[in-house]
Amino acid sequence: MRTPIIAGNWKMNKNPQEAVEFVNAIKDKLGPYTAVERVVCPPYVALPGVQAALAGTAIAVGAQDVHWEESGAYTSQIAPNMLQGLVKHVIIGHSETREYQGVTNEMVNKKAKAALAHGLHPIIAVGESLEINEAGGTQEFVGNQVRAAFDGIPASALATIVVAYEPIWAIGTGKSATSDQANSIIGAIRGILAELYGDEHANAMRIQYGGSVKPNNMVDFMSQEHIDGALVGGASLKVDSFVDLVRLAVEAKGLS
Ligand code: 13P
C-alpha cells in the first residue's frame, strides 16, 4: 500500500505572518490523519516561520522550486543547501516554472539530482497543455517529461520521489481532468517508470494528481487505483478546504 500524499502548493500566496497563522490553524486539525502524508509548500520567505511552527508535528514542509547549483551568480534563485533543515520536499518542474521561468526538462533533471544529493525529496511535476491534450499527444508528451526527469536517477532514490501529474489546462481553471482520464495517464506514467526501473519500484512510487482539486471532487480522484494523492493550489489556501481534502483522502482510501 502506497501512503497517499496531499501537498498544498501555495504558489505566490500568503506573507510570512499569514503563513504561520495558517499552519497554526491547521496543525491540530490535521493531527488525526496520520495515514496520509501532509505537506505545505509556502513561498520561500515563509519557510523559516512555517518550519518552526510545525516543528514537532508530522506535517511536512516543502519548497516550490530549487536551483541545481550550490551558490553563484543566479539572481533570485535558491540553492539546495539553503533548503536543508527547512524543508523535506521540493516541487520541481511545476508548469508555472516551465512556462514563466523557462525551466526545461533538462533543468528539471538537474534540479532533481541536486535535490536528492542534499537529502531533499523531489515532487516532480509533469503535464501537458490543452493543445497537446486535444491533439491526442498527452501520453507521449508526459512520457517524455518523465523519462527526461528521471534520466540518470538511480532506483535507490525512488522511494523519496513523488511524481505529480498536472494537466496545465486544469490548473486554476476549475476544469479538472476526469478522474478516469487522470487515472489513465497516471497509470501510463507508472508504466514508464516500470520500463525504467521494473514493476516493483514502479508499483511502490507515489503519483499525485493536480489541477482544480477541490473537496467536491477529491473522493473521485482518490478512489482511483493509480492516484496516490493530490498537489493542490487554490483549495490548499483555506483552512477548512485543506483539512477537508486530507480527511477525504483518508476516507476514500479506506484508511480511517
Ligand atoms: P489548482 O489546485 O489551483 O488548480 O492548482 C494546481 C496546482 O498547480 C498545484 O501545483
Side-chain angles (χ1 to χ4, degrees):
M1 176 76 199
R2 301 181 290 264
T3 302
I5 174 166
I6 312 300
N9 172 13
W10 295 2
K11 308 190 179 184
M12 197 171 71
N13 292 290
K14 299 191 191 296
N15 66 31
Q17 187 189 335
E18 291 164 342
V20 169
E21 282 168 13
F22 181 88
V23 294
N24 279 333
I26 59 168
K27 65 182 178 188
D28 289 342
K29 296 185 186 206
L30 289 186
Y33 304 114
T34 51
V36 301
E37 200 171 349
R38 295 139 290 167
V39 187
V40 291
C41 304
Y44 287 126
V45 291
L47 290 175
V50 165
Q51 188 269 339
L54 292 177
T57 75
I59 303 166
V61 184
Q64 297 177 15
D65 196 6
V66 67
H67 200 270
W68 57 88
E69 294 288 353
E70 283 294 294
S71 62
Y74 298 98
T75 301
S76 86
Q77 298 298 298
I78 297 291
N81 59 75
M82 297 172 186
L83 295 174
Q84 283 178 308
L86 276 181
V87 305
K88 177 176 179 189
H89 302 274
V90 57
I91 300 169
I92 293 173
H94 191 282
S95 60
E96 287 149 18
T97 69
R98 294 180 191 256
E99 182 175 352
Y100 304 127
Q101 289 147 43
V103 170
T104 62
N105 279 341
E106 192 194 355
M107 293 180 197
V108 169
N109 180 249
K110 289 205 279 192
K111 286 169 185 265
K113 285 175 173 159
L116 291 166
H118 290 81
L120 305 173
H121 294 197
I123 297 175
I124 296 176
V126 297
E128 83 288 1
S129 64
L130 185 59
E131 204 180 359
I132 292 169
N133 183 279
E134 286 179 344
T138 300
Q139 281 208 21
E140 191 190 345
F141 184 83
V142 170
N144 286 340
Q145 288 182 320
V146 171
R147 287 178 206 281
F150 281 86
D151 186 39
I153 290 182
S156 57
L158 296 181
T160 64
I161 304 177
V162 171
V163 175
Y165 168 58
E166 299 202 312
I168 297 169
W169 47 272
I171 294 176
T173 58
K175 232 196 277 172
S176 58
T178 69
S179 57
D180 284 337
Q181 281 171 333
N183 189 57
S184 146
I185 299 299
I186 289 176
I189 292 173
R190 203 178 294 291
I192 289 165
L193 294 168
E195 268 174 45
L196 297 174
Y197 297 103
D199 284 346
E200 200 175 321
H201 283 299
N203 288 333
M205 278 203 68
R206 295 180 297 172
I207 310 179
Q208 299 171 305
Y209 169 76
S212 296
V213 172
K214 311 280 176 211
N216 67 8
N217 58 22
M218 184 67 170
V219 171
D220 276 353
F221 287 113
M222 291 308 114
S223 305
Q224 295 282 349
E225 176 192 353
H226 288 294
I227 304 183
D228 304 314
L231 184 56
V232 186
S236 75
L237 297 171
K238 295 248 157 57
V239 171
D240 288 351
S241 56
F242 191 57
V243 172
D244 278 352
L245 291 174
V246 170
R247 176 180 56 78
L248 291 166
V250 169
E251 289 172 11
K253 293 288 183 195
L255 298 169
S256 54

